[in-house]
Amino acid sequence: MNITWNSVVTFHYTLRDEEGDTLDSSIGKDPFAFIQGSHQIVPGLEQQMEGHKAGDKFTAVVKPDMGYGEFDKSLLQRVPLDRFGGNTVEQGMQFQAGEHGIFTVREVVDGHALLDGNHPLAGVTLNFEVEITDVREATAEELSHGHVHGPGGHHH
Ligand code: ZN
């Protein structure tokens, strides 16, 4: 069957940035499973899944506006180190800050940390190499839970 709304899709992928560096890959791991139309993958990839079937291999190029969003400079802020309650703050650290989500420490200079609230892949054009391994209809139980059961999905 071809991928359509509420299909359970199982696939392998390798994600590269514009320079060809590998950011993530399922190769050597379990393939990823999701329900088409449930926004479990970025919109640009979900859109390009439509109509494919098991065995298909394709490359999906996803611009930031259909991926993890454009880079937003207003999400950068400099925070004095004495605001971190005595905790060590180093470049590359990530932490959760209340309702604002995940922040990454971009640099530590002059007693301040530069915090970045953008998704790590904001502003990046995503190049997915996709291999569809299975397509089937979702069960009523999967649709009511909003996720896939079995291989590549939830086990409960
Ligand atoms: Zn479930």
Side-chain angles (χ1 to χ4, degrees), residues 25-128:
S25 179
S26 67
I27 304 301
K29 299 185 249 177
D30 286 336
F32 187 81
F34 73 100
I35 301 172
Q36 177 77 350
S38 64
H39 309 306
Q40 289 163 350
I41 59 175
V42 294
L45 181 57
E46 187 169 77
Q47 205 174 65
Q48 293 178 59
M49 288 281 181
E50 193 76 18
H52 281 289
K53 58 187 187 307
D56 282 4
K57 291 182 183 184
F58 61 97
T59 301
V61 178
V62 176
K63 297 285 182 195
D65 65 333
M66 292 295 278
Y68 292 100
E70 303 287 353
F71 190 85
D72 181 355
K73 276 186 177 168
S74 73
L75 296 176
L76 293 172
Q77 52 176 313
R78 291 170 64 77
V79 178
L81 289 177
D82 61 16
R83 297 258 299 274
F84 291 87
N87 295 308
T88 306
V89 179
E90 289 172 337
Q91 186 176 337
M93 282 177 61
Q94 291 188 324
F95 54 90
Q96 186 86 31
E99 66 195 32
H100 303 292
I102 307 273
F103 284 86
T104 305
V105 179
R106 287 289 163 216
E107 59 179 19
V108 178
V109 275
D110 299 333
H112 287 73
L114 179 64
L115 301 186
D116 181 359
N118 286 284
H119 187 283
L121 294 179
V124 176
T125 295
L126 310 167
N127 292 268
F128 289 96

